[in-house]
Amino acid sequence: MGLFDRMRTILGAKANTLMDQAENPSETLDYSYEKLVELLQKVQRGIVDEVTAKHRLTQQANQLRGQTAQLDAQAKQAVTAGRDDLARIALQRKQAIVEQVGGLDQQIADLEAEQQRLTTAEMNLRTKVEAFRTRKEVIKAQHSSAEAEVRIGEALGGVSEEMASVGLSVERAEQKTSQLRARASALDELSKAGLLTDATGGHSDDVSTQLAQLTASQNVESELAALKQSATPKQLGSGK
């Protein structure tokens, strides 16, 4: 397959895809129904035209028949008057009119047959149009229902995805909460055991402790010196 053939195939496929996406089944069905109704109306107008033409020809034929009766009367009058020549002319005119009437009668018969054919076609077409209209409405209702089901399915799919994301968020939150509770319990146990020191004031506490120990040691030394001093004279007197 050549490059242009491939391009034509690709463009055709794209065009079909775009047409499928743009096509609205409801609008397509309504358009088809309108075309059938227009066709039915054309057939009905054809029947009206046939009937009109038939009535016009029938009127002409009746008028010509009236003329033949008049020419018969004129021919009889001419014969009575001994004017065979005038009678012959009247009869010739009558014969021409009779031929015209015969042609009109044939046309009227043809129009009658055509009218019957169109009437039968109109009835059949009207039945098909009504059946198509009913079927069209059913298909449109089914299409609308299918569209609603698709929208509901897509919505439910989105809900499912959202619920899955929410479930993961809840699971992570529960894990973090469990970890925080475990840490809090551990810190509470360490605090009760006296194993925790204040990170901000620990150095100050060490200095205070050392100063308190130094003061206590000095106090001990002072008391010891005082005791020695108070005990020394007694020991000297007993020696003398």
Side-chain angles (χ1 to χ4, degrees), residues 176-199:
K176 290 182 178 180
T177 302
S178 178
Q179 292 174 358
L180 289 175
R181 287 180 178 176
R183 182 176 177 81
S185 299
L187 292 174
D188 185 59
E189 292 181 2
L190 293 174
S191 177
K192 290 180 179 179
L195 299 178
L196 296 178
T197 57
D198 189 355

PDB file of all heavy atoms in Angstrom, residues 176-199:
ATOM      1  N   LYS A 176      -0.953   6.309  60.640  1.00  0.00           N
ATOM      2  CA  LYS A 176      -0.283   7.403  61.328  1.00  0.00           C
ATOM      3  C   LYS A 176      -0.810   7.583  62.748  1.00  0.00           C
ATOM      4  O   LYS A 176      -0.054   7.825  63.685  1.00  0.00           O
ATOM      5  CB  LYS A 176      -0.458   8.701  60.532  1.00  0.00           C
ATOM      6  CG  LYS A 176       0.319   8.708  59.222  1.00  0.00           C
ATOM      7  CD  LYS A 176       0.163  10.032  58.501  1.00  0.00           C
ATOM      8  CE  LYS A 176       0.982  10.040  57.220  1.00  0.00           C
ATOM      9  NZ  LYS A 176       0.852  11.339  56.499  1.00  0.00           N
ATOM     10  N   THR A 177      -2.123   7.464  62.895  1.00  0.00           N
ATOM     11  CA  THR A 177      -2.715   7.588  64.229  1.00  0.00           C
ATOM     12  C   THR A 177      -2.219   6.485  65.146  1.00  0.00           C
ATOM     13  O   THR A 177      -1.896   6.724  66.331  1.00  0.00           O
ATOM     14  CB  THR A 177      -4.251   7.531  64.123  1.00  0.00           C
ATOM     15  OG1 THR A 177      -4.701   8.576  63.266  1.00  0.00           O
ATOM     16  CG2 THR A 177      -4.889   7.682  65.486  1.00  0.00           C
ATOM     17  N   SER A 178      -2.139   5.256  64.622  1.00  0.00           N
ATOM     18  CA  SER A 178      -1.630   4.142  65.428  1.00  0.00           C
ATOM     19  C   SER A 178      -0.179   4.374  65.829  1.00  0.00           C
ATOM     20  O   SER A 178       0.217   4.115  66.974  1.00  0.00           O
ATOM     21  CB  SER A 178      -1.757   2.837  64.637  1.00  0.00           C
ATOM     22  OG  SER A 178      -1.245   1.749  65.368  1.00  0.00           O
ATOM     23  N   GLN A 179       0.626   4.889  64.868  1.00  0.00           N
ATOM     24  CA  GLN A 179       2.018   5.170  65.193  1.00  0.00           C
ATOM     25  C   GLN A 179       2.137   6.257  66.263  1.00  0.00           C
ATOM     26  O   GLN A 179       2.952   6.149  67.184  1.00  0.00           O
ATOM     27  CB  GLN A 179       2.760   5.594  63.922  1.00  0.00           C
ATOM     28  CG  GLN A 179       2.915   4.476  62.902  1.00  0.00           C
ATOM     29  CD  GLN A 179       3.518   4.967  61.598  1.00  0.00           C
ATOM     30  OE1 GLN A 179       3.778   6.161  61.450  1.00  0.00           O
ATOM     31  NE2 GLN A 179       3.732   4.050  60.666  1.00  0.00           N
ATOM     32  N   LEU A 180       1.321   7.299  66.159  1.00  0.00           N
ATOM     33  CA  LEU A 180       1.365   8.366  67.160  1.00  0.00           C
ATOM     34  C   LEU A 180       0.937   7.866  68.536  1.00  0.00           C
ATOM     35  O   LEU A 180       1.517   8.230  69.562  1.00  0.00           O
ATOM     36  CB  LEU A 180       0.462   9.522  66.709  1.00  0.00           C
ATOM     37  CG  LEU A 180       0.963  10.334  65.522  1.00  0.00           C
ATOM     38  CD1 LEU A 180      -0.077  11.364  65.095  1.00  0.00           C
ATOM     39  CD2 LEU A 180       2.272  11.041  65.871  1.00  0.00           C
ATOM     40  N   ARG A 181      -0.085   7.004  68.546  1.00  0.00           N
ATOM     41  CA  ARG A 181      -0.518   6.443  69.832  1.00  0.00           C
ATOM     42  C   ARG A 181       0.576   5.582  70.454  1.00  0.00           C
ATOM     43  O   ARG A 181       0.816   5.637  71.680  1.00  0.00           O
ATOM     44  CB  ARG A 181      -1.789   5.625  69.620  1.00  0.00           C
ATOM     45  CG  ARG A 181      -3.031   6.478  69.363  1.00  0.00           C
ATOM     46  CD  ARG A 181      -4.238   5.599  69.158  1.00  0.00           C
ATOM     47  NE  ARG A 181      -5.460   6.402  68.952  1.00  0.00           N
ATOM     48  CZ  ARG A 181      -6.645   5.887  68.666  1.00  0.00           C
ATOM     49  NH1 ARG A 181      -6.779   4.559  68.510  1.00  0.00           N
ATOM     50  NH2 ARG A 181      -7.688   6.679  68.512  1.00  0.00           N
ATOM     51  N   ALA A 182       1.247   4.776  69.626  1.00  0.00           N
ATOM     52  CA  ALA A 182       2.343   3.940  70.153  1.00  0.00           C
ATOM     53  C   ALA A 182       3.468   4.802  70.696  1.00  0.00           C
ATOM     54  O   ALA A 182       4.036   4.523  71.758  1.00  0.00           O
ATOM     55  CB  ALA A 182       2.857   3.013  69.053  1.00  0.00           C
ATOM     56  N   ARG A 183       3.802   5.863  69.985  1.00  0.00           N
ATOM     57  CA  ARG A 183       4.872   6.757  70.450  1.00  0.00           C
ATOM     58  C   ARG A 183       4.472   7.449  71.740  1.00  0.00           C
ATOM     59  O   ARG A 183       5.286   7.590  72.664  1.00  0.00           O
ATOM     60  CB  ARG A 183       5.177   7.792  69.360  1.00  0.00           C
ATOM     61  CG  ARG A 183       6.316   8.738  69.733  1.00  0.00           C
ATOM     62  CD  ARG A 183       6.629   9.668  68.564  1.00  0.00           C
ATOM     63  NE  ARG A 183       7.669  10.611  68.928  1.00  0.00           N
ATOM     64  CZ  ARG A 183       8.962  10.341  68.932  1.00  0.00           C
ATOM     65  NH1 ARG A 183       9.382   9.134  68.570  1.00  0.00           N
ATOM     66  NH2 ARG A 183       9.855  11.264  69.248  1.00  0.00           N
ATOM     67  N   ALA A 184       3.210   7.882  71.802  1.00  0.00           N
ATOM     68  CA  ALA A 184       2.752   8.534  73.023  1.00  0.00           C
ATOM     69  C   ALA A 184       2.810   7.577  74.208  1.00  0.00           C
ATOM     70  O   ALA A 184       3.218   7.951  75.326  1.00  0.00           O
ATOM     71  CB  ALA A 184       1.331   9.057  72.830  1.00  0.00           C
ATOM     72  N   SER A 185       2.415   6.326  73.994  1.00  0.00           N
ATOM     73  CA  SER A 185       2.478   5.334  75.074  1.00  0.00           C
ATOM     74  C   SER A 185       3.917   5.088  75.517  1.00  0.00           C
ATOM     75  O   SER A 185       4.218   4.986  76.725  1.00  0.00           O
ATOM     76  CB  SER A 185       1.833   4.026  74.606  1.00  0.00           C
ATOM     77  OG  SER A 185       0.472   4.222  74.282  1.00  0.00           O
ATOM     78  N   ALA A 186       4.830   5.009  74.533  1.00  0.00           N
ATOM     79  CA  ALA A 186       6.240   4.780  74.880  1.00  0.00           C
ATOM     80  C   ALA A 186       6.805   5.947  75.662  1.00  0.00           C
ATOM     81  O   ALA A 186       7.522   5.765  76.671  1.00  0.00           O
ATOM     82  CB  ALA A 186       7.037   4.553  73.607  1.00  0.00           C
ATOM     83  N   LEU A 187       6.492   7.171  75.231  1.00  0.00           N
ATOM     84  CA  LEU A 187       6.976   8.342  75.955  1.00  0.00           C
ATOM     85  C   LEU A 187       6.409   8.403  77.360  1.00  0.00           C
ATOM     86  O   LEU A 187       7.105   8.809  78.314  1.00  0.00           O
ATOM     87  CB  LEU A 187       6.619   9.620  75.183  1.00  0.00           C
ATOM     88  CG  LEU A 187       7.353   9.826  73.856  1.00  0.00           C
ATOM     89  CD1 LEU A 187       6.802  11.046  73.143  1.00  0.00           C
ATOM     90  CD2 LEU A 187       8.855   9.996  74.092  1.00  0.00           C
ATOM     91  N   ASP A 188       5.136   7.996  77.500  1.00  0.00           N
ATOM     92  CA  ASP A 188       4.531   8.001  78.831  1.00  0.00           C
ATOM     93  C   ASP A 188       5.231   7.015  79.761  1.00  0.00           C
ATOM     94  O   ASP A 188       5.507   7.320  80.931  1.00  0.00           O
ATOM     95  CB  ASP A 188       3.048   7.664  78.708  1.00  0.00           C
ATOM     96  CG  ASP A 188       2.339   7.775  80.037  1.00  0.00           C
ATOM     97  OD1 ASP A 188       2.349   8.862  80.629  1.00  0.00           O
ATOM     98  OD2 ASP A 188       1.783   6.736  80.474  1.00  0.00           O
ATOM     99  N   GLU A 189       5.551   5.819  79.230  1.00  0.00           N
ATOM    100  CA  GLU A 189       6.258   4.834  80.044  1.00  0.00           C
ATOM    101  C   GLU A 189       7.655   5.320  80.414  1.00  0.00           C
ATOM    102  O   GLU A 189       8.098   5.163  81.572  1.00  0.00           O
ATOM    103  CB  GLU A 189       6.347   3.515  79.273  1.00  0.00           C
ATOM    104  CG  GLU A 189       4.994   2.821  79.091  1.00  0.00           C
ATOM    105  CD  GLU A 189       5.125   1.519  78.348  1.00  0.00           C
ATOM    106  OE1 GLU A 189       6.279   1.158  78.029  1.00  0.00           O
ATOM    107  OE2 GLU A 189       4.091   0.874  78.078  1.00  0.00           O
ATOM    108  N   LEU A 190       8.390   5.916  79.494  1.00  0.00           N
ATOM    109  CA  LEU A 190       9.726   6.435  79.781  1.00  0.00           C
ATOM    110  C   LEU A 190       9.676   7.565  80.806  1.00  0.00           C
ATOM    111  O   LEU A 190      10.559   7.678  81.676  1.00  0.00           O
ATOM    112  CB  LEU A 190      10.387   6.912  78.488  1.00  0.00           C
ATOM    113  CG  LEU A 190      10.731   5.820  77.472  1.00  0.00           C
ATOM    114  CD1 LEU A 190      11.249   6.456  76.181  1.00  0.00           C
ATOM    115  CD2 LEU A 190      11.763   4.863  78.032  1.00  0.00           C
ATOM    116  N   SER A 191       8.633   8.387  80.690  1.00  0.00           N
ATOM    117  CA  SER A 191       8.506   9.493  81.633  1.00  0.00           C
ATOM    118  C   SER A 191       8.257   8.981  83.043  1.00  0.00           C
ATOM    119  O   SER A 191       8.832   9.469  84.000  1.00  0.00           O
ATOM    120  CB  SER A 191       7.382  10.418  81.186  1.00  0.00           C
ATOM    121  OG  SER A 191       7.176  11.462  82.107  1.00  0.00           O
ATOM    122  N   LYS A 192       7.357   7.969  83.134  1.00  0.00           N
ATOM    123  CA  LYS A 192       7.076   7.412  84.465  1.00  0.00           C
ATOM    124  C   LYS A 192       8.299   6.717  85.047  1.00  0.00           C
ATOM    125  O   LYS A 192       8.483   6.699  86.271  1.00  0.00           O
ATOM    126  CB  LYS A 192       5.918   6.430  84.358  1.00  0.00           C
ATOM    127  CG  LYS A 192       4.582   7.102  84.065  1.00  0.00           C
ATOM    128  CD  LYS A 192       3.478   6.078  83.980  1.00  0.00           C
ATOM    129  CE  LYS A 192       2.134   6.743  83.700  1.00  0.00           C
ATOM    130  NZ  LYS A 192       1.037   5.754  83.585  1.00  0.00           N
ATOM    131  N   ALA A 193       9.153   6.166  84.190  1.00  0.00           N
ATOM    132  CA  ALA A 193      10.353   5.476  84.679  1.00  0.00           C
ATOM    133  C   ALA A 193      11.475   6.445  84.983  1.00  0.00           C
ATOM    134  O   ALA A 193      12.553   6.026  85.466  1.00  0.00           O
ATOM    135  CB  ALA A 193      10.811   4.462  83.636  1.00  0.00           C
ATOM    136  N   GLY A 194      11.297   7.743  84.733  1.00  0.00           N
ATOM    137  CA  GLY A 194      12.326   8.733  85.016  1.00  0.00           C
ATOM    138  C   GLY A 194      13.469   8.707  84.050  1.00  0.00           C
ATOM    139  O   GLY A 194      14.574   9.169  84.391  1.00  0.00           O
ATOM    140  N   LEU A 195      13.233   8.160  82.870  1.00  0.00           N
ATOM    141  CA  LEU A 195      14.312   8.033  81.887  1.00  0.00           C
ATOM    142  C   LEU A 195      14.334   9.172  80.895  1.00  0.00           C
ATOM    143  O   LEU A 195      15.151   9.176  79.981  1.00  0.00           O
ATOM    144  CB  LEU A 195      14.173   6.701  81.134  1.00  0.00           C
ATOM    145  CG  LEU A 195      14.252   5.443  82.015  1.00  0.00           C
ATOM    146  CD1 LEU A 195      14.061   4.218  81.152  1.00  0.00           C
ATOM    147  CD2 LEU A 195      15.614   5.396  82.723  1.00  0.00           C
ATOM    148  N   LEU A 196      13.442  10.125  81.069  1.00  0.00           N
ATOM    149  CA  LEU A 196      13.397  11.253  80.168  1.00  0.00           C
ATOM    150  C   LEU A 196      13.956  12.491  80.842  1.00  0.00           C
ATOM    151  O   LEU A 196      13.737  12.716  82.041  1.00  0.00           O
ATOM    152  CB  LEU A 196      11.952  11.544  79.731  1.00  0.00           C
ATOM    153  CG  LEU A 196      11.279  10.433  78.922  1.00  0.00           C
ATOM    154  CD1 LEU A 196       9.852  10.845  78.606  1.00  0.00           C
ATOM    155  CD2 LEU A 196      12.062  10.189  77.636  1.00  0.00           C
ATOM    156  N   THR A 197      14.756  13.268  80.175  1.00  0.00           N
ATOM    157  CA  THR A 197      15.285  14.531  80.693  1.00  0.00           C
ATOM    158  C   THR A 197      14.797  15.650  79.810  1.00  0.00           C
ATOM    159  O   THR A 197      14.499  15.453  78.625  1.00  0.00           O
ATOM    160  CB  THR A 197      16.827  14.533  80.687  1.00  0.00           C
ATOM    161  OG1 THR A 197      17.276  14.292  79.369  1.00  0.00           O
ATOM    162  CG2 THR A 197      17.353  13.453  81.607  1.00  0.00           C
ATOM    163  N   ASP A 198      14.758  16.805  80.434  1.00  0.00           N
ATOM    164  CA  ASP A 198      14.321  17.969  79.668  1.00  0.00           C
ATOM    165  C   ASP A 198      15.437  18.401  78.744  1.00  0.00           C
ATOM    166  O   ASP A 198      16.522  18.771  79.202  1.00  0.00           O
ATOM    167  CB  ASP A 198      13.958  19.100  80.627  1.00  0.00           C
ATOM    168  CG  ASP A 198      13.292  20.239  79.896  1.00  0.00           C
ATOM    169  OD1 ASP A 198      13.210  20.155  78.661  1.00  0.00           O
ATOM    170  OD2 ASP A 198      12.881  21.191  80.566  1.00  0.00           O
ATOM    171  N   ALA A 199      15.193  18.342  77.482  1.00  0.00           N
ATOM    172  CA  ALA A 199      16.225  18.662  76.509  1.00  0.00           C
ATOM    173  C   ALA A 199      16.608  20.130  76.560  1.00  0.00           C
ATOM    174  O   ALA A 199      17.728  20.494  76.241  1.00  0.00           O
ATOM    175  CB  ALA A 199      15.753  18.312  75.099  1.00  0.00           C
TER     176      ALA A 199
END
